[in-house]
Amino acid sequence: MAKGKKVPEKILRQVPFCPGCGHGIIVRLMMECIEELGYNDNVLIGKPVGCASLLDNALAVDTFTGAHGRNGASMTTIKRLKPDMLVVSYQGDGDAYNIGFSETMNAAYRNEKFTVITINNGNFGMTGGQMAWTSMPGQVTATSVNGRNVELSGMPIRVPEMIASSFDTAYVARGSLFTPAEIKKTKSYIKKAMQAQIDGVGHSLVEVLSPCPTNWGLTPLASMERIVNELVPYFPLGEIKNKGGK
Amino acid sequence: MAKGKKVPEKILRQVPFCPGCGHGIIVRLMMECIEELGYNDNVLIGKPVGCASLLDNALAVDTFTGAHGRNGASMTTIKRLKPDMLVVSYQGDGDAYNIGFSETMNAAYRNEKFTVITINNGNFGMTGGQMAWTSMPGQVTATSVNGRNVELSGMPIRVPEMIASSFDTAYVARGSLFTPAEIKKTKSYIKKAMQAQIDGVGHSLVEVLSPCPTNWGLTPLASMERIVNELVPYFPLGEIKNKGGK
Amino acid sequence: MKEIVFAGFGGQGVLTAGLVLSQVALFSGKKATWMPSYGPAMRGGTANCTVKYSDSRIYSPGQEEPDVIMALNIPSFNKFISMVKPGGIMLIDSDIVTCDTNVRSDVKVVKIPGTTIANELNNPKALNIIMLGAMVKLMGDFSEKEAIDGMNDMFGKKGKNKYEAANTAAFKKGYAAV
Amino acid sequence: MKEIVFAGFGGQGVLTAGLVLSQVALFSGKKATWMPSYGPAMRGGTANCTVKYSDSRIYSPGQEEPDVIMALNIPSFNKFISMVKPGGIMLIDSDIVTCDTNVRSDVKVVKIPGTTIANELNNPKALNIIMLGAMVKLMGDFSEKEAIDGMNDMFGKKGKNKYEAANTAAFKKGYAAV
Amino acid sequence: MGDMVKGNIAMGEAAIRAGMHIYCGYPITPSSEVMEYLSWRAQEAGRQFIQAANEGEAMYMVYGAASIGSRVLTASSGLGISLKQEGVTYMAAADYPAVMINVCRYGDGLGSLESGQTDYKRETRGGGNGDYRNIVLSPSTVQEAVDLVYLAFDLSEKYRNIVVILTEGALGQMMEDCDYPPMKEVPYYDWAFDGKYTHGPYPSQMAVDLHAKGIKNNEKRAAITENEQRWEAVGVEDAEYVLFAYGIPGRVVLGIVDELRKKGEKVGIIRPISLWPFPQKAFDSINKNVKGFISVETADSGQMLEDVALYAKKKGFGNVPCYFISSPPGVPKSKFVLENFEAIKAGKVKEVF
Amino acid sequence: MGDMVKGNIAMGEAAIRAGMHIYCGYPITPSSEVMEYLSWRAQEAGRQFIQAANEGEAMYMVYGAASIGSRVLTASSGLGISLKQEGVTYMAAADYPAVMINVCRYGDGLGSLESGQTDYKRETRGGGNGDYRNIVLSPSTVQEAVDLVYLAFDLSEKYRNIVVILTEGALGQMMEDCDYPPMKEVPYYDWAFDGKYTHGPYPSQMAVDLHAKGIKNNEKRAAITENEQRWEAVGVEDAEYVLFAYGIPGRVVLGIVDELRKKGEKVGIIRPISLWPFPQKAFDSINKNVKGFISVETADSGQMLEDVALYAKKKGFGNVPCYFISSPPGVPKSKFVLENFEAIKAGKVKEVF
Amino acid sequence: MSKVIVSKDKCKQCGYCVKHCPKQAISFSADFNSSGFKYAVVDDSKCIACGMCYTTCPDGVFEITE
Amino acid sequence: MSKVIVSKDKCKQCGYCVKHCPKQAISFSADFNSSGFKYAVVDDSKCIACGMCYTTCPDGVFEITE
Ligand SMILES: Cc1ncc(C[n+]2csc(CCOP(=O)(O)OP(=O)(O)O)c2C)c(N)n1
Ligand SMILES: Cc1ncc(C[n+]2csc(CCOP(=O)(O)OP(=O)(O)O)c2C)c(N)n1
Ligand code: SF4
Ligand code: SF4
Ligand code: SF4
Ligand code: SF4
Ligand code: SF4
Ligand code: SF4
Ligand SMILES: [Mg+2]
Ligand SMILES: [Mg+2]
C-alpha cells in the first residue's frame, strides 16, 4: 500500500510542543483535512489561548488569535459574515469547557455552522497543569495536589454529550490518538465535522483525548496508556451524533 | 377543609409586579416554603437583576443583590462558608440561562448545595420584553419583532433537562402556575428542592413556567392559556430528577 | 422658548401627546426636544415627558421651569403643581383631577372635562389629543390648522392615517374647550 | 553586591543551583534575591536565573551586569558570554560546552568537567551542585562549611534530608575542582 | 427637516447609513433601543444582527467580526461595558476597528437607570489591561449623535482603533429632529483575514516585540491626538472662568454661558466632543488671565476634571485652580449649576486641583 | 531570618496569616502560584479554596463571600482582572471588602508573560462603570508584599473597600527572604448577612439615592486620601529632579538615586506604595526649586505620570515639567534608566505635562 | 368558621381568583380601588374557605382565617 | 518504490513510531540530534512504507515518498 505521505505544506515549521504531545498530531490531522477538502485557500482557524498559542506563525493559513475561551463567539460572526469560508475553532479543554463554556455552548445552541476541535488533555497545559473540568477524580494537578476531590469540584464534564443531547447540531464525536487506527478514526471525525460545515448542515464538534506527558508526569507512551485505561472508560470514543449530509 | 392561609409575614409589602405576573405567586411560594421549613431566621435569598429587582425591601430576610446572571457563583461561596444556612437563588430565565448560563451550569456541575428557582417567562421582562433563550419559535419580542427565527438563534433552551442529565445533582423539576393544583405541585417541588439542600444531598433547581402578561401582550388569563397550550408541550412539567433524601 | 410637561398614568398617552406637540413645533419650523422620564419606577407608575420648543437652539432638554403642565391624574397634579413657572398654566382633566386645585395663586389652573368630551366622542383613548388641543390653544404659538396638520403628518408617517379623522375631531374639541 | 547568572537547559537544575546559592547567602547573614527567567519561551527551552547577594539592601533584582555566569550548555554560553562584567567569570561544564570559549579576553572562563565528575559520583543529577561548589570557591564569599550547611539547611527544610550526603559529596567535589 | 427621533434609534440608523455590517449586543436600559431597532432594521438593510448571551460574548463576536474587516457595532450601558473590557483590550492589541456605544447610566455596580457621566474615567483610560486608549466621542444632541456615529466608523478604520460613543441615558432616550447622512455600502476592509493568508501571519501578542509595538502605539496615539481633537468653545478669549462640560451637561452649560454673557459676565465654555483625545488645543484661545477652570459633570467626583487639570498644566495654566461641580443623576438643572458657579466665584468652594 | 520565598507564595501565606477565609480564582501566569499554593494551604489552615471556571465567576464568588462578611482573596493578572471588572464595581456599590492581587503582565490584550506596569490606569481609575476607587498598594520587595497583603485585609474592612495589590510578574516570580506576620483567625464581620435579617434590608443600587450615596462615597474617599497615603522618599528636599517609580522599578530607581547621590548629584525619588490614594503629601517635602519630575514606568505610555502631573499641580508645582521614562517589559535596567535620565537633564527630551 | 379577608387595595384585577374559585364566589367590583383597579369581591354566602383564591393570587389579596 | 525520509532534527524521542511500526523497523539512535534527543532511525530493509510512523508522529519527522 504505497502511498505518499507528507506533512501538509501549510504547516510551515515544526510544531513547538513537548515531546509526545497530542497537539502535534491533531494539528496535522486538522491541516490534512483542510487540504484534502480543498479549503487551503478559504479557511480560517481560530487559535485559542493555551499550548496551542505556540502555533504562532506555524500555519500558513489565516489564524485568528482568540481571547481565552471565547472563540465560540468570535467564530460565530466570522462564519456568518463569510459563510463560504471553512471556519475551524481549535481549542483546549480549559479554553472551551472552563472559561469558554458559555461561548462554546451558545455557539452549539445557536447551531452556528462552524467546526470545533477540542483537545481534552485533562488539564491546563499551558499554565503548568492546573485542574481542568476534564481532570479525572483523584488526578493530581497543580491546583489539586492531593488529587482531584470531586465532592468539591464536581465530576469531569462531558461537553460533547451535552451538546449532542441538548442542541440540534450536525455532528459530534470523540476520538483519540493511542494507535494509528484511532488516529485515523479521529481524522475521519474531523473531516466529517468539516464536511457538515461545508454542507451547511450545522455546528460540528470533535473532542480528542490527547496526552500531556509534561504535566501528567508520564512518558509519552505511558500517557497513551493512561488514556486507554483511565480516560476512555469515562470519555467514550466514537460518533455521538451525525445528522448526515444534506 | 378550614385551614388558615396568610401571606408569610416575611413578605413585608405588596409585591410590585404587573397585574397577573407569575413572580408574585412564586415569591409567595418560596417564602411559604422557607417559613414552613423553619428557616425564617437562617436564610439568604439571592435576588437577581430582572423584574425580581423590584423586590427591593419587600422581603424581611437577608437578600443579596446579585450581579445580573451571576448568582450561581455568589451563592456558591455563601453556602460553602455558611453551610447551615438555607440559600436560595431566585432568578429570571434571562438571568440564569442567558448571561448567567456559565455560572448556573457550573454551580450545578460542582453540585453546590443550594437551591435555584428560575422563572421561565420566555423573555427579559425587566428591560421591555426582549428575546430570551426560552422564547418560543415565532414568538414576537422586542428583539424579534417578526417572530423568533430559530434558524438564526437556536431552539429554546431546556436547562433543567441539561442539568439533570449531565450533572450529579440532587433535585430538578419544572412546575407552572395555571391552576391551583399546578401551583401546589410547584410549591411541593420548591419545598423538596429546599429539603434536598437542608439534607445536604446536593444542588437543586426548580424552573417555573410563569406568565408575563405585560410583555406577552396578553391578559393574565390568556397568558395562563398560552402556557398550557404553547409552553407545556415544549417544557414538560414534573420532577426531572429526584435523588431522594439522605 | 417654551417648556411643557405632560404627566399622567402610563397608558393615558401623555408621552404621545408630548411627542405630537414637539412634532407640531418642528412642522412649524421651530426647534424642539422631547425628554421622557424613564427608570425603575416606570412599571405601572406615573409617566411624564418634557417638551421644549423654540425658534433658536434649545440648550437643556430637561425639566427646568415648565410654562405649562398637563396633568391627567391626581398624583401628577400633586407632583408638578409646585414646579410650574410663576404665571404659568396647569392644565387638568377636571373629570379625573378632582382634588383641590387651588394651591398656587400665581398659577392659572385650566380645567377641561377631558374624559367627558372623550366619552362624548365615543373615543376614550383620545383624551390625550383632546387635552393637547386645549393646550395648543392656550399656548397660542400654533394655529389650529398648523397643529392638526403637524399631528396628522406625524401619525401618517407612522402608518396610522386611519385615525386621522378621529384625531382631528378630538383635537378640535379640545381646542374649542378653552 | 554580587550578581550571578545560572543558565542551562530546563531540567539541569540551574534554578535550584541559584536558589541554593541565594539561601547560602541568607544563611551567612547577607541579603539575597533570586529572579528566574520565565515566559512563553520556557517550554523545552533554556532556563536561567539571576542571583544577587549583598551585605546591604539589594535594589534591582534583575540582570544588570553579572559578575559570574554559570553556563551548562552551548546556547547559554553563547547567550550570556557577552553579558559578563569585564573582569568577571564564566563557569562552564567543559563536558557539555564544547564550543570555542575563547571569545572575550576580559573574562576568565573556568572549565570544570562537571558531567564527568557527576558520573564518577554515580549521580548525574548532581551536576548543578558540583558546579555550585566550584562557583562558591571561585566567589570566595562563603567558606566551604558555611555553604554546605546553608545548602543542607535548605534541602532539610524542604524535607529532602535524604540527599544530604550525596549533595555534600557533590558540592565538595566541585569545590575541590577549582 | 428631519422628524423627532429618539437618540438611541437615531444612532442605530446612523450606523446602518455608515455601512455597518453587523451588530452584536445584549439589551440593557437605557441603551436597548439601539439593538431593538437594529434587530429588524439590519435585516431590512441587508446587514446582520445577533443577540448574544451576554455583553462579553457580544464583544468577542465583535472581535471576530472585526478580524475579517467588517464594520461592527455594539452598544450597551455601564456595567454591560464592564463585561466587554477583556474583549476591548484584545481589540486594541490586534489594532481592530469597531464602534462601541455606551449609553451611560449613573453609578457604580448595577447603578441606576438614570442618566449619568460616571464612566468617563473608564472609557478614556481603558478598563481593560494595558496601555491602549479608545477614541471617545460624546455628542450633546441627537443630530450630533448621528454625525458622530457616522464619523466613528471612519475614524475607527482610519486608525484601526475602537471608537467609543460615550453618551448618556438622557440623550439615548430623548427625541429631537435630525437629518441622516447618506447610506453607504462599505466592502470588508482589505487588510483583514480573507481566508487566503493574503497578509501572512497574524501573531498573538505573545509572539510580538511589545516594546516595539508600544512605540508604534505611541505614534498612533500621537497622530490621533494631533488630528482628532474636537470641541465647541464659546467666550473663552476673555473669560474669567471657563467651564468644561460634555454631553448633555455640555448643552446645558452652553445655555448658561449664553445667558451669563448676555448679562455681560466674562465666562466661557469648552464643550469637549472628543474626550480622548482631550481637546487640549482648546486651551490655546483661553484668556491667559483666566481665574479658574470648572468641570461640570453628572458624577460624584470629578472625572473629566482630571483631564482639565492635566491639560491646564500642560498648556501653561499650571497655576489656574480647577474646580468641580457635581450634578446629581439626570439632566443638570441650570439653576443648580448656576448656584454652584456663583459659589465658586465667591470663593466659597475650594479647588480640587 | 526568613527563607527565600517566591513573591506569589509569600502573598498567599500572608493572606492565610491575615485570616483570609476563602480564596476564589482562576490560574494565569504570572500569578498562578498564589492559587496553586492556596489550593492546599488553605485547607491545611482550615480555610477554603475554590477554583472557578473563569475570572469573572471567581469575582462573583468573591462578591458572595464578602456579603456574609468573610475575608476573601482573589488573584490574577492583566486580562483576568479585566474579566472581573463588573464584579469589582458591584463590590464597590455594595461597600464590600476584598483583596485582589494583580500580578501584572505587560501589555494590551493577551499581553506577554513578562513583567510590566501597564495596568496602573485601570487599577487606580477603575475599569468598571462608575465613580468608585479601589485602594491600590504596590510592593517592591517580597517582604513588603507580605506586609501589604496582611495590611490590605484590615484596610479593606476598615473602609469597606476593595484593596488591590498591584504588583508585577517579576515580584510574583522572584524570591527573597521574608518574615511572616503572626497568624490571625478573624470572625466573619458582623455588619454582614447572617441569615437573620439582623441589619434589615440591603437594597440594590436601583433603590438607593445615588447622589446621597455619592456624597458618602466622596467622604470615604477623602478619609482614605487623608489617612492612607504611603510612600518611601529619598533625597527630595534638595533635589533638582525627583524621580517617581513604584514596584520593581521603584527599587531599581532607589538604587540609581542612591548611586547618584553618592556622586553628589541632587536627585531624589518618591516611591509610591499606595497608588491610590496617590501619596500627594510626599510633595510637601520636595525642594521648591525642583526642575523636573520624572515618572519611570514599565509601560508604553506614562500612566502614573498623570498622577505625578496632577498632584504636582495640586501641590503648587504646576509649572514644573513632568517627564516620562518608558522602560521595556521586564525589570528595568539601571543603565537604561540612567541614560534616559541624563537625556532629560540635558534637555534632550520634551516633558509630557 | 373560616372567613376570607380581602385587602381590596392590593388587587390588580388579574382575574385568577375569579376563574379558579370553585364556588364562583368571586366577582369584580364596580368601582376602583386606590390603584385604579376593579377589585375582587367575595360573596361570603358562597365561600367555603377553600383557599384557592389565596393560592392563585399573585398579590396577596386574600387571607383565610381559621 | 516508496521510501521513508526522516527529518532527524525534528524528532523528540517520544517513541510512538517505534511502538507502532508494524515491522519493528524503527529504533532510536545512539547519538543526539541538534535538539538533544535520540532520534528515530528507520531500517530501510524492514520498512514497507506503510506510513504508520507518519500517522503517529506528532512532530512531522516522516515523509513517505511514492
Ligand atoms: C482571561 C485569561 N485567563 C487565564 C489565562 C491563562 N491561561 C492561558 S492558557 C490557560 C489554560 C489552557 O488550558 P487548555 O485550554 O486546556 O489548553 P492546553 O494548554 O491544555 O492545551 C490559561 C488558564 C489567560 N490567558 N486569559
Ligand atoms: C450586565 C447587565 N446586562 C444587562 C442588564 C439589563 N438587564 C436587566 S434585567 C435583564 C433581563 C431580565 O430578564 P429575566 O432574567 O428573564 O428576568 P425577568 O425580568 O423576565 O423576570 C437585563 C437584560 C443588566 N442589568 N446587567
Ligand atoms: S504542556 Fe502538555 S499540552 Fe502543552 S505542549 Fe506540553 S505536553 Fe502538550
Ligand atoms: S414585565 Fe412581565 S415579568 Fe416583569 S413584572 Fe411585568 S408581567 Fe411580571
Ligand atoms: S376561599 Fe375558596 S370558595 Fe372562598 S372565595 Fe376563595 S376560592 Fe372561592
Ligand atoms: S387573583 Fe388577586 S390580584 Fe388577581 S383578581 Fe383576584 S384578588 Fe385581584
Ligand atoms: S513506513 Fe511503516 S514500516 Fe516503514 S518505518 Fe514507518 S511504520 Fe515502519
Ligand atoms: S514519533 Fe516522531 S517524535 Fe516520536 S520518536 Fe518517532 S520520529 Fe521521534
Ligand atoms: Mg488542556
Ligand atoms: Mg424572564
Side-chain angles (χ1 to χ4, degrees), chain H residues 4 20-23 25-26 42 46-53 64:
Chain H
V4 175
H20 293 293
C21 172
K23 296 289 156 186
I26 314 180
V42 172
K46 291 184 183 167
C47 171
I48 56 167
C50 67
M52 293 300 159
C53 49
I64 321 282

Side-chain angles (χ1 to χ4, degrees), chain A residues 114-155:
Chain A
F114 63 85
T115 302
V116 185
I117 304 173
T118 53
I119 287 66
N120 177 347
N121 60 10
N123 71 50
F124 296 172
M126 169 78 159
T127 43
Q130 293 86 3
M131 181 175 81
W133 282 190
T134 48
S135 299
M136 294 301 286
Q139 185 175 331
V140 171
T141 74
T143 51
S144 61
V145 292
N146 302 317
R148 178 174 188 173
N149 179 350
V150 294
E151 280 296 310
L152 287 173
S153 67
M155 286 294 286

Side-chain angles (χ1 to χ4, degrees), chain E residues 79 82 89 107-109 118-119 122 125 127 129-131 133 205 218 300 303 306 313-314 319-320 352, chain F residues 79 82 89 107-109 118-119 121-122 125 127 129-131 133 205 218 300 303 306 313-314 319-320 352:
Chain E
L79 64 175
S82 297
T89 182
D108 308 343
T118 47
D119 294 356
R122 192 258 304 278
R125 265 70 182 165
N129 51 295
D131 252 333
R133 295 265 186 167
Q205 289 289 92
N218 283 331
D300 303 351
Q303 299 202 359
E306 292 195 354
K313 170 166 185 350
K314 185 177 172 91
N319 298 327
V320 176
V352 182
Chain F
L79 64 175
S82 298
T89 182
D108 308 343
T118 48
D119 293 356
K121 274 185 309 196
R122 192 259 305 277
R125 265 69 182 165
N129 51 295
D131 251 333
R133 295 266 186 167
Q205 290 289 93
N218 282 331
D300 303 351
Q303 298 201 1
E306 291 195 354
K313 171 167 186 344
K314 184 177 173 89
N319 297 326
V320 176
V352 182

Side-chain angles (χ1 to χ4, degrees), chain A residues 3-11 28 31-32 35-36 187, chain H residues 5 10 54-55 60-66:
Chain A
K3 201 166 156 266
K5 285 190 186 234
K6 207 180 160 189
V7 170
E9 60 175 25
K10 292 286 186 179
I11 300 180
R28 193 196 71 228
M31 297 309 290
E32 284 173 3
E35 185 174 88
E36 291 167 21
K187 179 173 170 184
Chain H
I5 304 174
K10 288 184 173 176
Y54 169 88
T55 301
V61 172
F62 301 98
E63 181 182 341
I64 321 282
T65 58
E66 270 165 287

Side-chain angles (χ1 to χ4, degrees), chain E residues 53-279:
Chain E
N54 57 52
E55 293 87 347
E57 193 189 34
M59 197 66 207
Y60 304 114
M61 287 175 171
V62 168
Y63 184 30
S67 78
I68 52 163
S70 70
R71 295 202 148 188
V72 52
L73 176 72
T74 188
S76 187
S77 183
L79 64 175
I81 306 274
S82 297
L83 292 170
K84 294 179 188 286
Q85 293 304 315
E86 195 206 23
V88 167
T89 182
Y90 266 97
M91 295 280 292
D95 292 315
Y96 284 159
V99 178
M100 175 162 86
I101 298 174
N102 180 355
V103 186
C104 186
R105 54 201 245 183
Y106 192 103
D108 308 343
L110 182 56
S112 67
L113 304 183
E114 285 180 277
S115 200
Q117 299 188 304
T118 47
D119 294 356
Y120 180 97
K121 276 186 306 197
R122 192 258 304 278
E123 302 311 342
T124 58
R125 265 70 182 165
N129 51 295
D131 252 333
Y132 70 94
R133 295 265 186 167
N134 296 325
I135 297 174
V136 185
L137 305 176
S138 185
S140 70
T141 64
V142 172
Q143 183 66 57
E144 197 173 31
V146 164
D147 296 341
L148 290 178
V149 168
Y150 200 73
L151 170 71
F153 283 94
D154 291 337
L155 284 186
S156 180
E157 166 59 6
K158 177 169 178 196
Y159 297 105
R160 304 267 301 274
N161 208 94
I162 287 189
V163 179
V164 174
I165 303 291
L166 177 56
T167 183
E168 304 145 63
L171 187 54
Q173 294 298 322
M174 75 177 278
M175 289 193 182
E176 218 166 9
D177 67 303
C178 80
D179 288 315
Y180 289 120
M183 181 71 81
K184 284 199 273 197
E185 299 285 343
V186 182
Y188 295 162
Y189 305 130
D190 61 10
W191 48 259
F193 290 136
D194 58 2
K196 301 185 206 319
Y197 199 59
T198 306
H199 308 289
Y202 204 101
S204 70
Q205 289 289 92
M206 290 205 178
V208 154
D209 174 345
L210 283 180
H211 195 57
K213 176 75 160 55
I215 290 168
K216 274 203 173 171
N217 290 346
N218 283 331
E219 284 162 7
K220 171 162 122 177
R221 288 192 278 258
I224 296 172
T225 301
E226 181 52 34
N227 303 336
E228 305 303 341
Q229 295 177 38
R230 288 177 165 75
W231 72 93
E232 179 179 5
V234 173
V236 297
E237 295 77 5
D238 64 355
E240 293 184 345
Y241 288 89
V242 175
L243 293 120
F244 287 76
Y246 71 96
I248 293 284
R251 60 192 281 175
V252 172
V253 173
L254 272 167
I256 294 171
V257 167
D258 190 27
E259 203 179 305
L260 289 176
R261 288 192 72 86
K262 279 186 192 142
K263 290 192 196 145
E265 276 211 55
K266 294 199 165 153
V267 42
I269 171 173
I270 290 171
R271 178 176 70 86
I273 296 168
S274 60
L275 304 182
W276 192 85
F278 192 77

Side-chain angles (χ1 to χ4, degrees), chain F residues 25-44:
Chain F
Y26 183 79
I28 183 169
T29 309
S31 76
S32 299
E33 292 87 355
V34 178
M35 94 174 270
E36 289 174 5
Y37 178 75
L38 289 172
S39 75
W40 60 269
R41 177 67 176 125
Q43 200 183 11
E44 184 185 76

